[in-house]
């Protein structure tokens, strides 16, 4: 499967999951959820790992937070709904995430590249990820 096809599949899964979130009982989201501000807590799946993705977005589009307890930093561009971030371990970047936020701002999908393997990502190590927003608050 090509990287482009994997990216599209992950995006479709993220959008689909975002739509299902609106139907789930007990979801703590404001009525104004939209793709302009992605601050919040997200339930995420990245390869075989699942857990919380916590994002805080600043006015200039930079984002910070953590995924599975590992710090992240990146950027979000609301006009294109494009999201990129890097996860860090001991100050060293270990994974690069690239994706898109769904039209309604409740889902995301994309791919990530692993940099912390013995030969780096020389073998083209990349995986899909997706997430569904579950709260407007990052923690």
């Amino acid at each position: 499967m090509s990287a482009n096809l994997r990216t599209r599949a992950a995006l479709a899964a993220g959008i689909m999951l975002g739509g299902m979130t609106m139907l789930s009982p007990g979801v703590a989201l404001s009525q104004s959820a939209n793709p302009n501000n992605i601050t919040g807590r997200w339930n995420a799946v990245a390869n075989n790992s699942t857990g919380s993705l916590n994002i805080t977005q600043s006015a200039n589009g930079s984002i910070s937070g953590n995924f599975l307890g590992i710090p992240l930093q990146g950027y979000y561009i609301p006009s294109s709904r494009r999201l990129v971030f890097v996860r860090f371990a001991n100050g060293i970047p270990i994974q690069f995430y690239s994706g898109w936020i769904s039209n309604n701002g409740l889902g995301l999908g994309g791919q990530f590249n692993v940099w912390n393997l013995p030969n780096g990502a020389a073998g083209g190590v990349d995986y899909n990820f997706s997430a569904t927003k579950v709260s407007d608050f990052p923690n």
Side-chain angles (χ1 to χ4, degrees), residues 65-97:
N66 64 71
F67 179 38
L68 299 174
I70 297 176
L72 65 87
Q73 291 182 323
Y75 291 92
Y76 174 61
I77 305 167
S79 61
S80 63
R81 297 186 329 273
R82 181 88 164 125
L83 168 75
V84 294
F85 63 88
V86 175
R87 287 177 70 197
F88 293 88
N90 299 319
I92 299 170
I94 60 168
Q95 295 172 337
F96 173 76
Y97 288 72

Side-chain angles (χ1 to χ4, degrees), residues 38-42 53-67 70-76 83-86 88 138-139:
I38 61 170
T39 294
R41 185 169 39 87
W42 302 72
L53 168 63
N54 301 304
I55 298 174
T56 301
Q57 178 182 333
S58 60
N60 70 358
S62 66
I63 62 169
S64 61
N66 64 71
F67 179 38
I70 297 176
L72 65 87
Q73 291 182 323
Y75 291 92
Y76 174 61
L83 168 75
V84 294
F85 63 88
V86 175
F88 293 88
N139 294 316

Side-chain angles (χ1 to χ4, degrees), residues 116-135:
N116 63 335
L117 295 177
N119 295 315
V125 182
D126 59 336
Y127 302 98
N128 294 326
F129 81 99
S130 62
T132 303
K133 192 170 188 181
V134 295
S135 172

